[in-house]
Amino acid sequence: MAAEPSLPRSARVAVWDWYRSRARAYAWRRGRANGYRTLVSELMLQQTQAARVEPAFAAFMRRFPTVTSLARASRADVLRAWAGLGYNRRAVHLHAAAQAVVRDHRGRVPTDVQALRSLPGVGPYTAAAVASIAGGARVAAIDVNVRRVVARAGFGDAAPPRSSVDAAAERWIDRDDPGGWNQALMDVGREHCRAVPRCDGCPLIRVCRWRRTHPAGVTVERGAGRQGRFAGSTREVRGRVVDVLRARRSAGPATLALVTGFDAGRVREALDGLVRDGVVERSGRSYRLPA
């Protein structure tokens, strides 16, 4: 399957025109981008909707306005500031990344992709996003949203080879404003090119190969709209345990089981995982957020 070598200029203009009103839609896009703000926002946005991240990001930045203030904080304080976002291991990674930045990069979040990849919790996508948005690096930040946009618009297929899609995304990058372009495509994916597509109003509708072969927009990706059950899941148990420990200095498994309403065996299983992940620590017979 041939890769789309480039986007027509008209399509690029349409994307930029569509994005213009959204460029300052979120707190992390207001003001001058820097590595720290971008790193915080990108880690928060992993597996979490932007609408939920917006108030949490603003509060977090007030609490930890610089990477140094974050690095010097206790892990417990960082986890408390992370309340409401879930996936608490991300907070552990962010705290460790801040400490690595202070220790190894003189307190400045790097904007080089390879240097970013060396930070805890920073994978290929996050490194590319920070490097392009904060540093102007001409690299595509390819998350699930961008990959879906490129796959459908460029290939007319929901699942072409990933290597081909990624190569096409790199060719599509805007050389003058790679960070803005990456954010624009992310937003197209969030708003329109979802697993269940909403094509009306999409700036790429006129050039989208997928749309040409699915004019009614009725075909969706396998498993679209299905999410893992949260109620009663291990993820819920873990989250509830951490929520209790945010409000208490420490608590034992029996107390945690009583307060959360979950079976003691499941609470102990959750605690074992949380300890391994560095989210909680054991103190005698009790557990607490790490110092």
Side-chain angles (χ1 to χ4, degrees):
M1 182 181 297
E4 179 75 10
S6 63
L7 279 178
R9 183 178 181 279
S10 60
R12 291 182 175 276
V13 171
V15 169
W16 281 121
D17 286 347
W18 177 87
Y19 178 68
R20 187 174 296 114
S21 64
R22 302 179 54 85
R24 294 172 55 82
Y26 303 115
W28 50 91
R29 292 183 183 168
R30 298 175 200 133
R32 185 174 181 178
N34 63 51
Y36 175 56
R37 287 171 57 86
T38 307
L39 179 63
V40 172
S41 66
E42 288 298 333
L43 286 177
M44 285 186 169
L45 286 164
Q46 291 175 4
Q47 299 177 292
T48 305
Q49 294 179 341
R52 285 181 57 199
V53 171
E54 173 84 15
F57 174 83
F60 194 91
M61 294 304 299
R62 286 194 297 270
R63 177 67 181 82
F64 307 111
T66 66
V67 68
T68 301
S69 64
L70 179 59
R72 290 176 176 172
S74 69
R75 189 176 299 176
D77 283 346
V78 177
L79 284 162
R80 290 189 182 97
W82 200 263
L85 288 171
Y87 296 100
N88 293 292
R89 185 163 46 184
R90 293 177 299 169
V92 173
H93 288 157
L94 178 57
H95 187 227
Q99 292 177 328
V101 167
V102 170
R103 182 183 65 245
D104 303 330
H105 299 281
R106 298 181 180 180
R108 295 179 63 87
V109 175
T111 54
D112 172 78
V113 170
Q114 292 306 312
L116 285 161
R117 286 294 308 275
S118 71
L119 299 179
V122 176
Y125 162 75
T126 302
V130 175
S132 62
I133 295 169
R138 293 172 178 171
V139 58
I142 309 171
D143 67 351
V144 63
N145 294 307
V146 170
R147 188 168 281 117
R148 184 183 290 125
V149 170
V150 176
R152 286 180 176 162
F155 295 83
D157 190 342
R162 175 171 291 198
S163 59
S164 298
V165 174
D166 291 358
E170 293 290 350
R171 284 192 292 272
W172 286 16
I173 196 72
D174 188 289
R175 296 180 64 82
D176 295 326
D177 186 0
W181 179 258
N182 282 331
Q183 292 179 99
L185 285 193
M186 291 175 208
D187 281 11
V188 171
R190 289 189 189 115
E191 296 298 317
H192 293 290
C193 206
R194 301 180 174 186
V196 179
R198 300 195 307 186
C199 296
D200 289 348
C202 176
L204 292 173
I205 191 169
R206 292 186 177 181
V207 300
C208 181
R209 292 183 173 185
W210 187 89
R211 180 67 175 179
R212 292 174 195 166
T213 56
H214 303 82
V218 295
T219 302
V220 300
E221 295 173 16
R222 183 179 301 175
R226 298 178 184 176
Q227 294 183 347
R229 182 174 60 90
F230 176 73
S233 67
T234 298
R235 185 158 61 92
E236 185 186 19
V237 179
R238 286 168 57 106
R240 292 280 296 280
V241 166
V242 174
D243 284 342
V244 173
L245 294 178
R246 283 189 175 104
R248 297 175 179 233
R249 295 187 64 178
S250 65
T255 299
L256 289 167
L258 179 64
V259 175
T260 63
F262 288 107
D263 177 81
R266 297 200 64 198
V267 169
R268 289 192 181 91
E269 180 184 0
L271 284 166
D272 289 343
L274 290 167
V275 170
R276 286 194 301 271
D277 292 341
V279 179
V280 304
E281 64 182 16
R282 187 168 183 170
S283 176
R285 296 182 179 181
S286 297
Y287 293 82
R288 65 187 183 189
L289 297 184

